[in-house]
Amino acid sequence: MRVAVLGGGNGAFITAADLAGRGHTVRIFEAPEFAKALDGVKEKGGIKLEVRAGLDLPQGFFPVEATDDAARAVEGADLILTVVPAFGQKRFAQLVGKHLRDGQVVVLSPGNFGGAVEFARAIRESGCTGRPIIMETECMIYSGFKDGPASSWVSGFKRGMSGAAFPASDGPRGIAVLQKVYPMCRLGHNILETGLGNVNTVFHAPILVLNAGRVESDKDEFLFYWDGCSESVGHVVEGVEAERLALGLALGTPLAPFHKVMIDWYGHQGAKGDSLAQVMRTNPAYEWDTAPRGLRHRFLVEDIPYGMVPMEDLGRLVGVKTSLTTAIIDLACSLLGEDFRAKARSLKALGLAELTAEQFRDVIATGKGFWPA
Amino acid sequence: MKRIAVLGAGNAGCAAAAHLTKMGLEVRLYNRWAAEIETLKAQGGARLEGVLGSGLYKPAVITTDLREAVEGADFFWVATPAVAHEFLATELARLLPKGAHVLLNPGSTGGALAFSKTVEEHGGAGDLVVAETNTNIYICRITAPGTVTVWNLAAHILFSAFPGRRRDAVIEELAPYFSNLKAVPTVLDTAFANINAIMHPAGVIMNAGWIEHTDGGFKFYAEGGTASVGAVIDQLDRERTATMLALGLDPLPFVEVFYLYGATSPQAVKERSAYRALKDSAPNALIQAPPNLKHRYLSEDVPFGLVPMRHLADLAGVRTPVIDALIVLASVANGVDYLSRGLTLRKMGLDGVTPFTLLTFLREGRTE
């Protein structure tokens, strides 16, 4: 299959290499302002993939075409995987929007809340006349990182992921294509399920805020989950998780509890535990995950405006209290002197602030107002 | 003031008992539990070390019998943590004479108001004046059984009383013995200047993982008090001063209170930076982090510190996102609903009070 990978960072490299290693024809494209990230790939003509023992992924050097031409990147691609941080998604929509054709499947992996909605609006505004299918997944299926100009390392591979489309009704057609590269991927009901299914939102900021002094003091290196998710920190994470589940119920989109999800994803790597926190702090896949060395990190700078603030927003929409989520947002704003709510991908930023809960759910299901009838 | 009942034989109580005895007053020392006063009784008194001199000072009475301790006393010095105030006020209610002078050293936040309310609810004789300080007059710790080391006296302590019109009578009694008392108009001025409440919960919550993972294996201020943690305390301070202003009080910024206390540099005051204040704080440089989150830095300083501040902010119509966040996170960490378990407006006797009648209430003890 022809696959385009948009992005030039950790996730994009691993994705491109893995798919190429499994026989797909892969092009990788990065935004011009970051095009240097692909210099190594251009020079070597591909990306090397090294994989942690026990994971069933191809290892070796695999051919990947790096291009700085947005049209060429997506031309003829059946699947376009956008593997970039949430704040970069709109930019790619603007770059490739007018080149997208009917039936091409774009997958934001992960979407983060509202990713597909923002992407759909942005490609129309950028002159897209076709009717692509826009999907998101709730997470990135890999964990790992880019470790050289043309190489990457995979430490974890989730056994399972879900993808949903915006509008939800496009889901079945979209998932059929996505399953060609990720057969374990299941169809989610809608992008509320994927948007609210990102563990980053629930795990990252609470653990970082409750370890803020240690991170900033930089006195010693410590493991983010194994050391950082101590007993009380675990209670806070579980409290935010409870708020997330309550949101799902109130939105009419029941969500899979993260405790179960973590076992599904990482059980094959040895993850276990009676509670979510217990699983996190002993998960073998997190063995080398060291804590950030400073607070100005995506765990706050991305996960608050693109994850936690939307949760708070949705809470107001459907009448669910989000005191813990709000507490973490307010402390993060205070720690960094930033107004994350102003920069967030809120319902207002998505152009959906004036809707009732009922109208909002209708837009999510049908895409009303985003696509021509 | 001749015969003082010192109630509580912990750090603050032992220091007071020894010091007041040294200064020639008759001290009657009480502790609820026998274990803490075993050594004191065996050696006949409290051994004092540090800046106030060394020596063994013998109170007239050392007892677990409250009635015995308060018999004939003309001044009542409460030196327990805030969590014990309700118990003590309940037990003392029928024992305090009319017009009694009580001092809470320290008062925590709202201590004088809550103490007064509890005594009233349990049949107190009336005309009570409850004075309080914003933090302990003594910088001290029990360093061995029966021995208290006083490293310093606070340079300046904020002092007030409820009702406010009786404040000067109490200060006059204490003035011959303490030259570091700075009178402020109301017990909310002292309540909001509760240094512990401003510093401790923020430092604990933002180092919660570090505390639990290492059993408090780091320096609480010197290492845990980073610039961003300081920024959070600065924002907490802004919420606190906004609340005070909205209630018609005249706020002192935290760093200034801390400087008056003698704990930091004038530069920190100029910068108005909590981070700088903690960095420049010699007495706090070696303080170790608490070993867990059950410690008084949360279990006292949230319900008897941040919670009453938050309830007062509600009264004032001021939003307090950082104070709220710390209360919520502390509550989840310790499985206690601090917002309702801590000092509420009702427990402080403020439930019938509005922002318009507040200052009158604080001065007169009633709203008309």
Side-chain angles (χ1 to χ4, degrees):
Chain A
M1 202 167 60
R2 282 193 180 281
V3 181
V5 174
L6 307 185
N10 298 321
F13 265 43
I14 293 171
T15 306
D18 174 40
L19 265 44
R22 291 195 271 130
H24 300 285
T25 305
V26 180
R27 285 185 190 147
I28 188 169
F29 167 76
E30 173 59 291
E33 58 270 26
F34 301 116
K36 281 188 120 27
L38 300 184
D39 282 352
V41 181
K42 277 206 189 99
E43 197 193 301
K44 299 225 157 81
I47 301 175
K48 183 173 89 159
L49 189 64
E50 266 188 286
V51 171
R52 183 194 179 139
L55 295 178
D56 187 22
L57 291 173
Q59 288 210 83
F61 178 86
F62 306 112
V64 173
E65 181 191 333
T67 176
D68 18 43
D69 180 341
R72 179 165 174 79
V74 301
E75 192 183 347
D78 306 292
L79 178 65
I80 297 148
L81 289 162
T82 308
V83 192
V84 297
F87 50 79
Q89 288 164 340
K90 189 170 178 178
R91 178 78 176 114
F92 280 95
Q94 291 161 342
L95 286 165
V96 307
K98 59 182 171 295
H99 308 297
L100 294 175
R101 305 282 172 259
D102 290 359
Q104 285 185 298
V105 178
V106 179
V107 180
L108 306 180
S109 189
N112 283 108
F113 181 77
V117 173
E118 181 187 66
F119 202 92
R121 190 192 290 286
I123 62 173
R124 293 290 304 283
E125 285 170 357
S126 305
C128 176
T129 51
R131 180 67 170 85
I133 292 172
I134 312 294
M135 294 186 74
E136 3 170 296
T137 59
E138 82 279 42
C139 61
M140 202 171 60
I141 202 161
Y142 315 94
S143 51
F145 45 87
K146 184 169 144 172
D147 60 1
S151 71
S152 54
W153 155 258
V154 179
S155 59
F157 184 70
K158 299 178 181 78
R159 195 155 276 183
M161 186 164 71
S162 58
F166 174 65
S169 42
D170 281 354
R173 282 191 300 141
I175 201 76
V177 176
L178 186 58
Q179 282 168 344
K180 292 199 176 124
V181 298
Y182 297 125
M184 73 293 286
C185 194
R186 51 166 280 275
L187 177 62
H189 289 99
N190 57 37
I191 55 153
L192 294 178
E193 191 180 322
T194 47
L196 290 171
N198 189 343
V199 295
N200 290 0
T201 300
V202 167
F203 292 2
H204 289 164
I207 298 175
L208 187 45
V209 168
L210 291 157
N211 283 275
R214 191 175 193 181
V215 164
E216 197 176 27
S217 79
D218 210 21
K219 180 187 177 191
D220 60 351
E221 196 177 72
F222 68 102
L223 296 175
F224 189 68
Y225 298 101
W226 283 24
D227 301 338
C229 191
S230 63
E231 188 178 342
S232 301
V233 178
H235 288 319
V236 173
V237 171
E238 286 167 356
V240 174
E241 162 66 350
E243 289 174 3
R244 184 189 73 97
L245 292 174
L247 280 176
L249 279 176
L251 285 163
T253 307
L255 304 169
F258 281 158
H259 182 199
K260 177 176 189 301
V261 168
M262 288 288 285
I263 306 281
D264 287 348
W265 285 350
Y266 293 117
H268 71 111
Q269 289 184 254
K272 59 185 194 298
D274 289 333
S275 68
L276 173 59
Q278 187 56 20
V279 174
M280 289 164 67
R281 73 172 71 94
T282 59
N283 185 3
Y286 291 157
E287 187 182 342
W288 295 307
D289 284 18
T290 52
R293 302 303 285 260
L295 293 175
R296 202 160 285 278
H297 185 275
R298 65 182 173 90
F299 284 5
L300 295 183
V301 167
E302 182 183 6
D303 294 327
I304 298 271
Y306 292 91
M308 293 201 113
V309 173
M311 270 182 69
E312 190 184 61
D313 244 16
L314 289 170
R316 266 196 296 275
L317 182 68
V318 292
V320 169
K321 279 198 78 171
T322 59
S323 334
L324 278 178
T325 300
T326 294
I328 297 293
I329 294 170
D330 282 319
L331 286 183
C333 289
S334 190
L335 282 163
L336 290 179
E338 297 266 9
D339 183 357
F340 285 121
R341 291 183 177 92
K343 306 171 182 221
R345 193 154 66 193
S346 56
L347 291 175
K348 183 163 180 217
L350 293 172
L352 302 175
E354 304 303 313
L355 304 179
T356 64
E358 205 52 57
Q359 290 166 333
F360 173 71
R361 283 159 51 183
D362 186 47
V363 170
I364 297 298
T366 65
K368 183 171 164 169
F370 282 79
W371 303 111
Chain B
M1 184 170 85
K2 285 199 291 286
R3 186 182 266 187
I4 306 186
V6 174
L7 308 171
N11 297 322
C14 280
H19 186 220
L20 293 166
T21 302
K22 180 172 200 254
M23 291 192 286
L25 293 155
E26 181 190 323
V27 170
R28 304 173 77 80
L29 178 62
Y30 158 85
N31 198 65
R32 185 173 176 185
W33 312 111
E36 279 81 8
I37 54 174
E38 217 171 276
T39 309
L40 294 174
K41 290 186 91 157
Q43 68 190 17
R47 194 167 292 284
L48 184 64
E49 297 290 340
V51 300
L52 297 177
S54 300
L56 181 69
Y57 296 98
K58 305 172 190 228
V61 159
I62 302 173
T63 179
T64 54
D65 181 338
L66 187 58
R67 197 172 278 273
E68 186 189 354
V70 304
E71 193 180 312
D74 54 24
F75 196 96
F76 304 86
W77 181 299
V78 173
T80 67
V83 295
H85 286 171
E86 188 175 351
F87 166 78
L88 201 54
T90 304
E91 298 298 301
L92 275 177
R94 295 263 162 81
L95 301 176
L96 289 172
K98 190 166 190 255
H101 288 192
V102 173
L103 170 66
L104 307 183
N105 178 48
S108 223
T109 299
L113 291 168
F115 199 96
S116 179
K117 170 88 172 160
T118 303
V119 168
E120 188 189 285
E121 277 176 343
H122 288 86
D127 256 5
L128 181 67
V129 57
V130 183
E132 64 174 29
T133 55
N134 72 312
T135 188
N136 193 351
I137 288 173
Y138 302 102
I139 297 165
C140 62
R141 284 289 189 279
I142 291 171
T143 43
T147 301
V148 60
T149 304
V150 178
W151 292 294
N152 223 333
L153 287 175
H156 300 94
I157 287 291
L158 303 190
F159 181 100
S160 197
F162 176 70
R165 61 181 163 73
R166 305 268 299 278
R167 179 197 69 189
D168 290 347
V170 182
I171 251 197
E172 253 165 57
E173 276 192 297
L174 294 167
Y177 305 98
F178 297 98
S179 56
N180 58 351
L181 304 179
K182 180 181 157 69
V184 289
T186 76
V187 291
L188 286 189
D189 293 285
T190 44
F192 277 106
N194 177 359
I195 291 173
N196 288 356
I198 298 165
M199 288 198 308
H200 292 160
V204 169
I205 293 296
M206 277 162 301
N207 287 294
W210 204 357
I211 287 170
E212 290 184 322
H213 180 236
T214 63
D215 297 324
F218 63 98
K219 300 276 173 277
F220 187 63
Y221 301 107
E223 293 172 320
T226 60
S228 300
V229 173
V232 175
I233 295 174
D234 287 339
Q235 187 176 336
L236 193 162
D237 194 40
R238 288 193 290 275
E239 292 174 5
R240 175 196 153 258
T241 54
T243 301
M244 291 182 78
L245 283 169
L247 293 173
L249 303 164
D250 195 8
L252 282 172
F254 159 68
V255 183
E256 214 169 306
V257 174
F258 201 54
Y259 172 68
L260 282 173
Y261 173 54
T264 194
S265 67
Q267 285 82 357
V269 177
K270 273 212 203 76
E271 282 176 36
R272 200 158 161 174
S273 151
Y275 171 57
R276 185 73 200 268
L278 295 176
K279 247 182 150 310
D280 287 357
S281 181
N284 286 308
L286 297 174
I287 302 267
Q288 197 69 6
N292 57 56
L293 268 51
K294 304 266 177 268
H295 190 269
R296 63 179 173 92
Y297 282 7
L298 287 189
S299 64
E300 181 180 17
D301 295 332
V302 172
F304 298 97
L306 294 183
V307 166
M309 286 188 195
R310 201 289 184 136
H311 287 304
L312 287 160
D314 278 348
L315 180 63
V318 172
R319 284 197 61 241
T320 55
V322 167
I323 290 175
D324 291 359
L326 294 172
I327 293 170
V328 161
L329 291 167
S331 297
V332 170
N334 284 336
V336 176
D337 179 6
Y338 285 126
L339 205 56
S340 52
R341 284 270 231 103
L343 285 187
T344 59
L345 294 177
R346 195 197 63 75
K347 289 181 197 168
M348 291 188 281
L350 294 174
D351 44 337
V353 172
T354 70
F356 305 105
T357 58
L358 177 65
L359 293 180
T360 303
F361 178 79
L362 294 172
R363 190 179 57 243
E364 303 296 332
R366 56 184 195 286
T367 49
E368 317 85 44

